[in-house]
Amino acid sequence: MNDTKKIRFAPFIRVSTEPQKIKGESLRVQRAQLEEAMKALGGYSVEWYGGSESATPGKERLELARMMEDAINGKADAIIVADALRWSRDNLKSQEYIQLMKEHGVRFFIQTQE
């Protein structure tokens, strides 16, 4: 496949707390799942985003915001997450970001499901 045809992904992996990030396996598992999904979809990661960020409404999510900024500015064709809970529990912010993705032609995947 020609590189110009491959999907440029912004993969987002997340846990809610710093202890989960340090001691848990979730980030490693999410990364492995997304690497497999991107390969199956014929794409690659332009940069990995995420880490320890609470998805609770009203909490600051700097990595999510940085990823969205990069995606809408053309750095990636699509955002990919391992499951919907890794995306957001803040419905208003989630709706805002989904609208931004639509306006800028950024695709959204939960593993291989668009």
Side-chain angles (χ1 to χ4, degrees):
M1 181 179 277
N2 186 326
D3 276 345
T4 59
K5 302 282 185 198
K6 290 187 175 185
I7 302 169
R8 298 172 305 142
F9 282 102
F12 187 72
I13 57 176
R14 183 189 65 76
V15 292
S16 296
T17 66
E18 195 64 25
Q20 288 173 321
K21 178 181 175 184
I22 295 167
K23 295 181 181 178
E25 293 291 312
S26 183
L27 291 177
R28 183 188 61 74
V29 169
Q30 289 175 59
R31 186 179 184 111
Q33 289 172 332
L34 294 184
E35 285 173 345
E36 188 175 312
M38 288 183 291
K39 183 179 177 182
L41 292 164
Y44 63 96
S45 66
V46 293
E47 183 172 344
W48 285 85
Y49 300 86
S52 173
E53 288 190 329
S54 175
T56 305
K59 296 284 186 177
E60 189 172 37
R61 300 201 47 209
L62 298 177
E63 273 295 281
L64 182 62
R66 182 175 76 86
M67 179 191 61
M68 286 301 304
E69 185 71 22
D70 284 354
I72 65 172
N73 285 318
K75 186 173 181 176
D77 304 312
I79 290 170
I80 188 168
V81 295
D83 66 62
L85 291 177
R86 300 300 106 201
W87 171 246
S88 180
R89 291 184 188 136
D90 184 340
N91 288 337
L92 291 177
K93 185 57 79 174
S94 178
Q95 289 173 354
E96 175 187 326
Y97 282 160
I98 288 169
Q99 184 60 39
L100 271 174
M101 284 187 275
K102 287 178 181 178
E103 290 171 7
H104 292 274
V106 177
R107 298 164 70 185
F108 181 74
F109 290 82
I110 299 175
Q111 291 200 36
T112 57
Q113 184 71 35
E114 187 167 12

